[in-house]
Amino acid sequence: MAKLTIQDLQRLPKTDLHVHLDGSLRIPTILQLAEEQKVKLPADTAEGLRPFVEVGDDCKSLVEYLRAFDVTLSVMQTYESLVRTAFELAEDAAKENVRYMEVRYSPILHQQKGLTLHAIVQAVLEGLAQAERQYNIKTGVILCGMRHISPDISLRLADLTVAFKNKGVVGFDLAGAEENFPAKRHKDAFGRVLQNNINCTLHAGEAYGPESIHQAIHLCGAHRIGHGVRLIEDGDLLNYVNDHRIPLECCPSSNVQTKAVKKMADHPIRLFYDLGLRVTVNTDNRMVTNTTVSKEFQVIHEELGFNLEEIKEVIIMGFKSAFLPYALKRALLAEVVHELKAFKPGSLESKKEQL
Ligand SMILES: O=c1[nH]cnc2c1ncn2[C@@H]1O[C@H](CO)[C@@H](O)[C@H]1O
Ligand SMILES: [Zn+2]
């Protein structure tokens, strides 16, 4: 199998359907925002801050992984900081040819300085719109309820999702620590979203077993599953997910860091793909996990043996799984399929380097 380079993978058109805004900042931006806002960080240089906001493979659990967000959230409490971080995330994604991205975050975590929930959504939409005008990228927003926060708050966030339906918000999610915080507590919020004909996805099967995925699908009506790695433990549910073409938002590097899987070679995305499941490849958190969509494809190429044809197929599954109206999705898919057919590995740059 010819080896694909990172440049090849960067050139391919891609999606990122699972990326948290508050885990995907640039470190220099955090430093600048902290200075402007007089916020105290654990360190005031990029190198000093890195260990607090990038977890690495020695991270032991999801709960440990989530500590990085205390730092990022401390500088994401103003309208301008939300516009800026949303713009920069879309800019970074566009530069590696991500053509469609769904950005998620939980507005309730951005109210420490009194911003209204509406302003918090508006700011992110403004930053993303600015990037869309400048780059060849389409975006949508997914609002997250948080598992450990009260179901009443999830209901308010569900109402916020309804208020921004067709205005840039395309779905609702449930994030945060999974163990001891079952999704069923939040089922009214999902009911609200579903009854308004809005898509939902839930983080499930990351730090808890297949029961969690079962709840997400059957009690909360999940149209997609975030991670879902532990689906491998329940063949019957796996068949259901496969038969109903429920997409899995796989985030391989993040899963090694949170110990959803012990090591990359054990990642079930290979088996899921071979069984015909609809799998997608995503970053989860570009900064916290120190990754990009291209790097995630490189990892599954090098460590799990996905070849170019298989990668193209996973890319297409990403576009198919988008929370986009069907007509738009079909048009975008047609464009991408055309590009993928014409794609030849070996970028101009890498050819020049070889000379
Ligand atoms: O992999 C993950 N699993 C569960 N929750 C997560 C993950 N990454 C980030 N968050 C949580 O989602 C919130 C909103 O973006 C973040 O603040 C973080 O607490
Ligand atoms: Zn996530």
Side-chain angles (χ1 to χ4, degrees):
M1 170 173 88
K3 194 161 171 271
L4 298 168
T5 63
I6 190 76
Q7 290 84 359
D8 291 327
L9 297 164
Q10 283 162 348
R11 278 173 50 232
L12 284 164
K14 295 174 287 294
T15 58
D16 195 351
L17 303 178
H18 188 134
V19 54
H20 295 256
L21 175 65
D22 49 335
S24 305
L25 291 75
R26 300 175 187 161
I27 293 181
T29 299
I30 302 184
L31 293 168
Q32 266 184 22
L33 290 173
E35 195 177 323
E36 282 165 26
Q37 300 171 20
K38 307 278 171 270
V39 166
K40 184 137 180 51
L41 294 174
D44 54 12
T45 62
E47 280 325 299
L49 193 59
R50 196 175 299 281
F52 294 93
V53 294
E54 268 180 25
V55 300
D57 281 354
D58 52 359
C59 175
K60 295 199 173 45
S61 67
L62 175 60
V63 170
E64 185 181 326
Y65 182 92
L66 294 178
R67 283 188 203 131
F69 293 83
D70 293 340
V71 177
T72 62
L73 286 167
S74 73
V75 298
M76 299 177 78
Q77 303 297 330
T78 65
Y79 192 92
E80 297 70 30
S81 65
L82 289 167
V83 176
R84 175 170 176 184
T85 51
F87 172 80
E88 290 181 355
L89 165 54
E91 182 174 61
D92 292 347
K95 287 192 170 166
E96 59 156 338
N97 208 13
V98 170
R99 301 280 272 280
Y100 179 73
M101 173 171 71
E102 288 172 4
V103 180
R104 62 184 76 195
Y105 71 112
S106 186
I108 203 72
L109 304 177
H110 300 267
Q111 288 199 300
Q112 291 170 17
K113 289 190 178 157
L115 283 181
T116 65
L117 292 175
H118 267 70
I120 292 164
V121 178
Q122 207 61 59
V124 171
L125 292 175
E126 189 177 317
L128 294 175
Q130 203 181 318
E132 287 197 22
R133 287 192 294 273
Q134 225 168 301
Y135 299 101
N136 185 15
I137 187 168
K138 255 184 135 18
T139 65
V141 166
I142 296 175
L143 300 184
C144 308
M146 297 300 296
R147 284 177 180 268
H148 68 286
I149 299 181
S150 84
D152 288 353
I153 299 286
S154 294
L155 204 52
R156 275 179 67 197
L157 293 167
D159 284 335
L160 191 66
T161 305
V162 175
F164 280 91
K165 179 186 174 183
N166 296 333
K167 296 184 180 124
V169 174
V170 300
F172 188 64
D173 173 36
L174 191 63
E178 188 175 1
E179 196 169 12
N180 301 320
F181 299 104
K184 63 180 177 202
R185 290 174 65 232
H186 303 269
K187 67 179 186 337
D188 291 349
F190 285 92
R192 181 70 52 87
V193 167
L194 291 173
Q195 278 156 33
N196 283 279
N197 306 317
I198 299 175
N199 285 305
C200 61
T201 174
L202 281 85
H203 283 74
E206 180 189 23
Y208 202 73
E211 303 86 334
S212 178
I213 303 171
H214 188 274
Q215 275 189 20
I217 294 171
H218 296 299
L219 298 182
C220 301
H223 298 103
R224 299 195 314 233
I225 293 291
H227 304 295
V229 285
R230 293 187 60 183
L231 186 59
I232 195 150
E233 295 167 34
D234 183 341
D236 199 51
L237 185 60
L238 185 147
N239 287 337
Y240 182 90
V241 169
N242 201 3
D243 292 348
H244 287 265
R245 314 308 298 138
I246 298 174
L248 299 178
E249 303 157 3
C250 297
C251 309
S253 300
S254 162
N255 295 152
V256 173
Q257 293 169 344
T258 63
K259 300 299 169 289
V261 296
K262 277 209 192 75
K263 54 183 193 310
M264 194 55 74
D266 298 340
H267 201 289
I269 187 173
R270 179 78 246 179
L271 181 64
F272 291 158
Y273 175 85
D274 291 341
L275 293 171
L277 276 97
R278 189 165 278 185
V279 293
T280 66
V281 167
N282 309 277
T283 55
D284 205 12
N285 293 287
R286 293 176 76 97
M287 180 190 64
V288 176
T289 289
N290 185 19
T291 195
T292 61
V293 184
S294 311
K295 278 199 206 173
E296 294 304 306
F297 275 111
Q298 188 176 35
V299 161
I300 67 162
H301 173 58
E302 291 183 357
E303 303 204 33
L304 298 169
F306 279 79
N307 64 30
L308 179 59
E309 286 316 304
E310 292 169 336
I311 286 175
K312 286 184 184 177
E313 207 186 322
V314 173
I315 286 176
I316 290 171
M317 290 198 272
F319 285 96
K320 283 188 174 169
S321 307
F323 288 160
L324 269 176
Y326 185 65
L328 283 179
K329 181 150 62 177
R330 195 170 50 179
L332 186 58
L333 201 53
E335 187 183 312
V336 166
V337 166
H338 182 76
E339 278 180 53
L340 289 175
K341 278 200 183 127
F343 180 85
K344 295 267 174 302
S347 64
L348 289 178
E349 286 76 27
S350 66
K351 282 196 177 124
K352 270 186 219 144
E353 277 162 23
Q354 283 163 20
L355 291 174

